[in-house]
Amino acid sequence: MNVNLAKRMGRMGTEAAFDVFAEVMALRAQGKDVVSFCVGEPDFDTPQNVKQTGMNAIAENKTHYAPVPGTPELRKAIAEYVSKTRHVKVEPEEVIVVPGAKPILFIAMLSLVEEGDEVIYPNPGYPIYESLINFAGGTPVPLPLLEEKGFGFDLNELKKLLSPKTRMIVVNTPSNPTGGIISKMDLEELARICKEKGIWVLSDEIYSRIVYDGAFESIYQFDGMKERCILVDGHSKTYAMTGWRLGYGVMNAELVRHFSKFMNNMATSTATFVQAAGAQALSGSQEDVEKMVKEFRARRDLIVNLLNGIPGISCHAPRGAFYVFPNVTQLCREIGFSDSWQVQQYLLYRGGVGVLARTCFGSRNEGEKEDYIRLSYATSQELIREGLGRMKAALADEGRIQDFLKEGR
Ligand code: PLP
């Protein structure tokens, strides 16, 4: 059916992880057993104190509209939390609460990017950045993340991408999909450049608490960033609250007023009882978060070890988030696959394992020769062992590979 969509919809991309996960679910509905490493969400329960606060809030009838930028209680809790974790004083007026981290990305791009503006964003990166830059009418300018730099970027490469049209730079540390972390030095230099040239920084810090080696560093802490940076964080990953839909932005108070107008048009406010639970998450015990991160670290070590035991695959230990991004270039060459998409299809339909191809995270950079897959290890050690065992067996099975190459999935 021709639904006669507005032209701008043709410019909108998607988050492929959810499409592949839908394929996983369809296979499971047919009775197939699939171990999925597709979707990036903690498999832990939301901490009990947070759930209880949310339930109490409903019982207390906190079920009406909240103020558009968020409840005073939660904005204050976020301001205190961000002041402490980013070492910069933040006021509640500099905070806006929204349903998930994604809406801040959406509002920021549509409010600040003009037609024809250039936006530099990490590639491979979270696919929503590229989608939203295009949707806003901007020009996406990919900044390659390099395996040899622990999936950081080369500052000289970044400088070459700057132009008078550069309006915004997207930073994501720790990164989805690579788990890489941008060094404090690079963040500081980036902040200096953005301040000097009047470029907006959109700093996606949704994985700020899931860091394994050293302290988390935010670009927000550097000179000039309180005026030029939109810090994005939220409860989804840190407190295993993906389904509650709770996120926030921190930025100058003037910008908060404009973002509030956007939010007023888009969703009015974030669910009131969810905000009550969110305030409890930030101000209550952090023991569950610490346990979760400890377990993620053990899983990271396990999965990196198992991946490196598969011929043709090499995997660095990521320093944050809950993703690994192993290099499968050699594997593809050895078994005759053209690219990581074939690896994804083969493992899903012939191996009973769900992984994501490199191209789910942006098109290949110019001259990019290596190929990768992403696995989320937000799943039990038992399932990691089972899934990686299946992967190893499937990738060593000549007959199965030849059938797949002849017949497709
Ligand atoms: N930013 C990054 C880098 C992510 O990986 C995700 C979720 O996977 C989000 C933002 C979205 O977070 P939320 O579910 O809170 O909207």
Side-chain angles (χ1 to χ4, degrees), residues 77-108:
I78 293 168
E80 282 167 6
Y81 172 77
V82 175
S83 301
K84 199 166 83 191
T85 49
R86 275 67 170 192
H87 322 294
V88 181
K89 182 86 183 91
V90 172
E91 303 296 337
E93 299 71 46
E94 295 171 318
V95 174
I96 177 169
V97 178
V98 291
K102 263 181 180 167
I104 293 290
L105 305 177
F106 190 83
I107 297 172

Side-chain angles (χ1 to χ4, degrees), residues 15 100-102 126 129 172 176 204 206-207 236-237 245:
E15 188 175 351
K102 263 181 180 167
Y126 186 50
Y129 307 141
N172 174 216
N176 177 8
D204 185 342
I206 191 81
Y207 297 102
S236 295
K237 318 288 175 175
R245 309 310 300 135

Side-chain angles (χ1 to χ4, degrees), residues 149-396:
K149 290 189 100 236
F151 291 109
F153 54 83
D154 184 330
L155 264 171
N156 291 325
E157 286 304 308
L158 171 86
K159 286 178 188 163
K160 283 189 214 150
L161 299 178
L162 293 168
S163 90
K165 287 190 183 162
T166 308
R167 176 80 162 179
M168 180 186 275
I169 299 183
V170 181
V171 177
N172 174 216
T173 181
S175 142
N176 177 8
T178 69
I181 283 184
I182 305 175
S183 73
K184 187 173 180 182
M185 245 168 57
D186 284 356
L187 289 173
E188 188 165 11
E189 176 62 4
L190 191 54
R192 195 194 58 71
I193 294 170
C194 291
K195 183 180 171 210
E196 183 191 301
K197 300 194 180 292
I199 297 170
W200 285 106
V201 177
L202 182 58
S203 182
D204 185 342
E205 305 182 2
I206 191 81
Y207 297 102
S208 58
R209 290 287 287 280
I210 308 172
V211 171
Y212 307 114
D213 316 304
F216 169 71
E217 300 290 350
S218 166
I219 193 167
Y220 190 72
Q221 68 189 292
F222 298 113
D223 192 33
M225 288 300 99
K226 279 206 64 149
E227 291 75 41
R228 301 231 58 88
C229 175
I230 297 131
L231 183 160
V232 189
D233 202 342
H235 288 54
S236 295
K237 318 288 175 175
T238 304
Y239 298 103
M241 289 177 73
T242 45
W244 293 70
R245 309 310 300 135
L246 184 60
Y248 51 88
V250 178
M251 64 207 77
N252 75 64
E254 173 66 16
L255 201 51
V256 167
R257 280 189 282 281
H258 295 289
F259 279 34
S260 293
K261 187 163 96 180
F262 203 120
M263 183 59 186
N264 193 339
N265 277 264
M266 186 169 80
T268 304
S269 62
T270 306
T272 311
F273 49 89
V274 168
Q275 296 195 53
Q280 168 60 213
L282 293 173
S283 53
S285 162
Q286 302 296 297
E287 210 179 297
D288 283 354
V289 181
E290 282 149 23
K291 267 196 229 152
M292 186 172 80
V293 175
K294 192 164 168 229
E295 175 60 20
F296 280 148
R297 178 199 293 270
R299 292 173 183 181
R300 175 198 67 167
D301 294 344
L302 174 66
I303 201 165
V304 167
N305 224 342
L306 292 172
L307 280 164
N308 282 322
I310 300 178
I313 294 187
S314 69
C315 184
H316 290 292
R319 294 170 57 208
F322 39 65
Y323 307 107
V324 274
F325 203 59
N327 188 320
V328 295
T329 320
Q330 177 82 12
L331 173 81
C332 289
R333 212 171 289 140
E334 281 170 11
I335 64 179
F337 283 2
S338 55
D339 55 20
S340 57
W341 191 78
Q342 271 198 326
V343 179
Q344 173 190 304
Q345 294 299 96
Y346 173 68
L347 288 177
L348 182 57
Y349 288 95
R350 302 290 180 118
V353 182
V355 303
L356 298 176
R358 153 67 181 107
T359 42
C360 295
F361 303 95
S363 9
R364 244 173 249 290
N365 292 308
E366 231 181 272
E368 184 177 308
K369 292 196 181 69
E370 304 297 300
D371 210 344
Y372 304 88
I373 54 174
R374 189 197 82 171
L375 291 86
S376 158
Y377 52 88
T379 193
S380 70
Q381 296 197 31
E382 193 187 340
L383 282 173
I384 291 173
R385 280 198 191 86
E386 171 65 26
L388 272 287
R390 287 185 194 185
M391 251 176 93
K392 189 171 184 174
L395 294 169

